[in-house]
Amino acid sequence: MPDGEAMGQRDALGPTDIQTIEALYGTHNQAPVAVIHALETSYDEGSHAYISAHESYDPDDNSYILTYEWTLGDGTCTDPSPPPKCTSPTVFHPFADDGTYPITVAVSDGFATGTDNATAVVLNVAPTVDLGADAEIDEGDTFEREGSFEDPGADSWVATVNYGDGSGVQSLSLATDKTFDLSHTYVDDGIYTITVTVTDDDGGVGTDALTVTVLNVPPSVDAGPDAEVLTGEDYDFYGTFEDPGVEDYPWTWVIDWDDGQTDAGSTNDQDAPITATHRVCTAGDYTVTLTVTDKDGGVGADALILTVPFLMVDIVVQPGENANPLNLKRGGVGPVAIFSTLDFDASEIDPASLRMGDVDSPSIPAAVRGNGAIQAELEDVDGDGLLDLVVQFPIPDLVASGEVDEYTTEVSVEGYLNDGCTNIKGVGHVSIRPM
């Protein structure tokens, strides 16, 4: 065989024949031509690159089976036990991180080897962040949620969060499973944007945001326990309130005393009690209401029952007569004595304020003289050395009002002291004479 001529059909020769031919004539085998198919301009990290040497061929004999050995530039095929793709004509290979990777394929026909080289350019992919849907909470509550991010690259990452309420940008810890925990307490109502930024070690940045709507919560008010205070005395009010919106100041407050009077004020400190002093006059039960309003218009209220009993006094109808008789057929007036005691001075009573009638709500005023003066005198009725007040009441008016009739056994007198506030009441037995 002339020198330089291709052998051809080597697969029909046995090993001994091949050795004989090579010993006699020298080696005439031509190495395979290795060809790496043109690569893409670039690939994203984590994506699969299609790398093929299927266009490689053997110039001696295209039917001969070729073998392949890849070097992919990232150490995949340099392991002692490389994966099967490292000896395949075509490779689908994910590059885990961005970079420039030299690729080599060695193609062998069993006698000689041909090689080809290429370069794969792998680009960094920025993280993708997911915070989930928008949320709604009450002020004072803590927004809590687990977020996540994805990154196909074998990167390392750092993250920050801005909760959008002026608290500033804060570092955010990342778990190995690419999750993170959000936790923040909002102290005032409003609409806030939470932004999370994740940055990989190649400078790739991913962000996501969500809106948290924080609702105003009205103050919770405590007016205190029910109370009792005697007519004419001062009642010291002590109320408190709480508001989870610690920035909802100023809080304005109003105390309604249920007697036509109010006290009002404002405070910037919800830890400070709301106090006021109020003089109570007319006996009865009052619903005292404390109302607190925050700066956003949230209103809270609470009430207590303030019981104001009468200053009870001793009275006698028709003093000086047995069985306290009252003749309803008789016209004119009937006297009622209001007694002084060591603790009470009947001379301090305002006669014009007195009313006589049934036990619950007497309504008949004292009789008036022709000159307009009240028919009332101070005298020591019971001989104890203290002046008592004797007041005359018109009998026809008592009968006409229906507050006194033939079945009446008790009557009452109500009125005020000269201070215009202290409310007195006396209840006395009466015996009705036949009408």
Side-chain angles (χ1 to χ4, degrees):
M1 180 179 297
D3 190 28
E5 182 178 343
M7 291 178 61
Q9 300 302 321
R10 293 187 307 276
D11 54 343
L13 302 177
T16 303
D17 296 329
I18 294 173
Q19 291 176 3
T20 302
I21 292 172
E22 290 182 347
L24 294 173
Y25 303 104
T27 301
H28 298 282
N29 179 58
Q30 297 185 67
V33 178
V35 178
I36 298 176
H37 186 76
L39 302 181
E40 299 290 338
T41 303
S42 62
Y43 305 91
D44 287 340
E45 61 181 359
S47 66
H48 283 75
Y50 173 74
I51 306 171
S52 177
H54 71 277
E55 297 173 357
S56 301
Y57 61 95
D58 187 343
D60 295 323
D61 189 346
N62 287 331
S63 66
Y64 190 73
I65 298 175
L66 303 176
T67 61
Y68 301 83
E69 185 175 342
W70 291 93
T71 301
L72 298 175
D74 61 355
T76 299
C77 296
T78 60
D79 292 338
S81 300
K85 65 182 176 182
C86 292
T87 56
S88 173
T90 299
V91 177
F92 289 92
H93 183 65
F95 288 96
D97 201 5
D98 61 294
T100 300
Y101 296 90
I103 298 174
T104 300
V105 66
V107 182
S108 174
D109 60 4
F111 300 100
T113 300
T115 61
D116 193 17
N117 301 298
T119 300
V121 177
V122 179
L123 304 179
N124 183 56
V125 177
T128 301
V129 184
D130 183 11
L131 300 186
D134 294 343
E136 182 178 277
I137 63 172
D138 289 337
E139 64 180 358
D141 285 351
T142 299
F143 171 81
E144 294 181 315
R145 178 173 294 178
E146 181 182 85
S148 63
F149 72 98
E150 296 180 355
D151 191 331
D155 298 330
S156 60
W157 305 271
V158 294
T160 60
V161 58
N162 188 334
Y163 288 103
D165 62 349
S167 56
V169 177
Q170 307 170 33
S171 61
L172 186 63
S173 297
L174 301 176
T176 55
D177 62 352
K178 296 187 177 69
T179 61
F180 49 85
D181 293 323
L182 300 176
S183 179
H184 190 69
T185 300
Y186 287 93
V187 298
D188 199 9
D189 60 292
I191 298 176
Y192 302 94
T193 299
I194 298 178
T195 304
V196 170
T197 301
V198 178
T199 305
D200 64 26
D201 55 7
D202 300 304
V205 178
T207 64
D208 192 24
L210 65 85
T211 298
V212 178
T213 300
V214 180
L215 305 178
N216 184 55
V217 177
S220 175
V221 181
D222 183 3
D226 294 344
E228 180 176 306
V229 62
L230 188 64
T231 174
E233 295 184 355
D234 288 338
Y235 169 64
D236 294 322
F237 180 88
Y238 185 101
T240 60
F241 73 96
E242 295 180 351
D243 193 332
V246 297
E247 295 183 357
D248 277 354
Y249 56 83
W251 293 274
T252 58
W253 55 265
V254 176
I255 302 173
D256 186 341
W257 298 105
D258 196 24
D259 61 358
Q261 300 183 62
T262 60
D263 280 311
S266 66
T267 180
N268 291 340
D269 183 5
Q270 61 175 304
D271 292 328
I274 295 173
T275 59
T277 299
H278 184 68
R279 190 181 187 195
V280 292
C281 294
T282 303
D285 289 331
Y286 296 88
T287 301
V288 179
T289 303
L290 171 62
T291 302
V292 179
T293 304
D294 65 26
K295 69 173 176 58
D296 301 304
V299 178
D302 189 34
L304 62 86
I305 301 300
L306 179 62
T307 300
V308 181
F310 287 96
L311 174 61
M312 300 302 296
V313 297
D314 296 328
I315 68 170
V316 171
V317 179
Q318 296 284 6
E321 296 192 29
N322 295 327
N324 309 108
L326 187 62
N327 190 337
L328 300 184
K329 294 180 65 176
R330 190 187 76 182
V333 295
V336 175
I338 305 174
F339 293 98
S340 292
T341 68
L342 294 177
D343 298 321
F344 176 71
D345 185 357
S347 68
E348 295 180 359
I349 297 174
D350 176 12
S353 70
L354 296 175
R355 299 291 184 270
M356 180 180 177
D358 62 30
V359 172
D360 294 325
S361 54
S363 64
I364 304 305
V368 179
R369 295 187 175 91
N371 63 1
I374 302 296
Q375 294 187 35
E377 302 291 341
L378 289 171
E379 58 181 280
D380 184 2
V381 175
D382 55 2
D384 63 357
L386 302 175
L387 291 178
D388 309 307
L389 180 66
V390 179
V391 185
Q392 306 290 336
F393 289 92
I395 294 176
D397 291 352
L398 290 169
V399 174
S401 69
E403 294 185 41
V404 177
D405 58 26
E406 59 185 308
Y407 303 105
T408 301
T409 60
E410 284 186 324
V411 294
S412 70
V413 174
E414 294 181 9
Y416 293 90
L417 300 185
N418 289 321
D419 63 6
C421 181
T422 305
N423 199 186
I424 65 169
K425 184 182 183 76
V427 178
H429 179 73
V430 66
S431 177
I432 303 299
R433 296 283 176 85
M435 295 183 65

